[in-house]
Amino acid sequence: MKDPSRKRHIAKALTWRIVGSVDTVFLSWLITGNPMTGLKIGFAEVITKMVLYYLHERVWFSINLSKSGLVRENKMRHLAKTITWRMVGTADTMVLAWLLTGNPLTGVKIGLAELLTKMILYYIHERIWYRIDYGLIDRVEM
């Protein structure tokens, strides 16, 4: 039997990547002053972030937070996912920006700028997806 949650995680990865890439392009453009640099960084991260986000979702899906053996979904879990994802995502953006601009300080500036914007956007994304049943067989409210 196929795991329906995989479809959900792929859909979440796609929607998040759209939101995240638009944010990265915009911030990179603002910081470097060059829209092409913003586009290069934004497009470069599409593949790396899709893979990293999918893996992050699979790890969090497997984490069992309740004594009854059910995965618990709540605001604290979403906050924890937000923080862990942001750590992974920021590191990826910093490295990509450094490699594409040749300047490590540019990578740090873009990464730090993303910390706030992406955490807010990711939390909102998580809350929206929590309300969507796509890819779930049964949802247990706790």
Side-chain angles (χ1 to χ4, degrees):
M1 185 170 156
K2 288 189 175 184
D3 180 2
S5 66
R6 288 187 192 276
K7 288 181 187 178
R8 178 180 180 83
H9 297 156
I10 290 169
K12 283 180 73 176
L14 288 171
T15 58
W16 172 246
R17 186 55 359 234
I18 291 166
V19 171
S21 290
V22 168
D23 184 56
T24 297
V25 168
F26 182 70
L27 290 173
S28 298
W29 176 7
L30 285 176
I31 290 168
T32 66
N34 185 335
M36 286 309 294
T37 300
L39 286 170
K40 286 178 188 176
I41 294 168
F43 284 120
E45 76 171 15
V46 169
I47 300 300
T48 59
K49 291 278 192 334
M50 289 285 286
V51 170
L52 292 171
Y53 186 83
Y54 177 79
L55 294 172
H56 185 261
E57 277 295 303
R58 295 306 298 169
V59 168
W60 272 97
F61 184 74
S62 68
I63 294 174
N64 183 342
L65 294 179
S66 76
K67 294 177 185 173
S68 64
L70 301 172
V71 176
R72 185 174 178 165
E73 292 289 338
N74 61 34
K75 290 181 182 179
M76 288 307 293
R77 179 180 172 88
H78 297 158
L79 183 58
K81 281 180 70 176
T82 300
I83 292 167
T84 59
W85 171 245
R86 194 64 260 134
M87 289 168 35
V88 171
T90 296
D92 182 56
T93 298
M94 285 179 168
V95 170
L96 288 172
W98 175 8
L99 292 174
L100 291 169
T101 66
N103 185 341
L105 185 57
T106 299
V108 170
K109 286 179 183 178
I110 293 169
L112 290 176
E114 279 191 350
L115 272 174
L116 182 61
T117 60
K118 290 265 186 358
M119 284 184 75
I120 292 166
L121 292 170
Y122 184 81
Y123 182 81
I124 293 167
H125 183 261
E126 276 297 301
R127 295 304 299 160
I128 290 169
W129 269 97
Y130 180 66
R131 298 181 193 291
I132 298 171
D133 288 335
Y134 177 77
L136 297 175
I137 294 174
D138 293 316
R139 179 177 290 213
V140 178
E141 293 292 329
M142 303 194 97

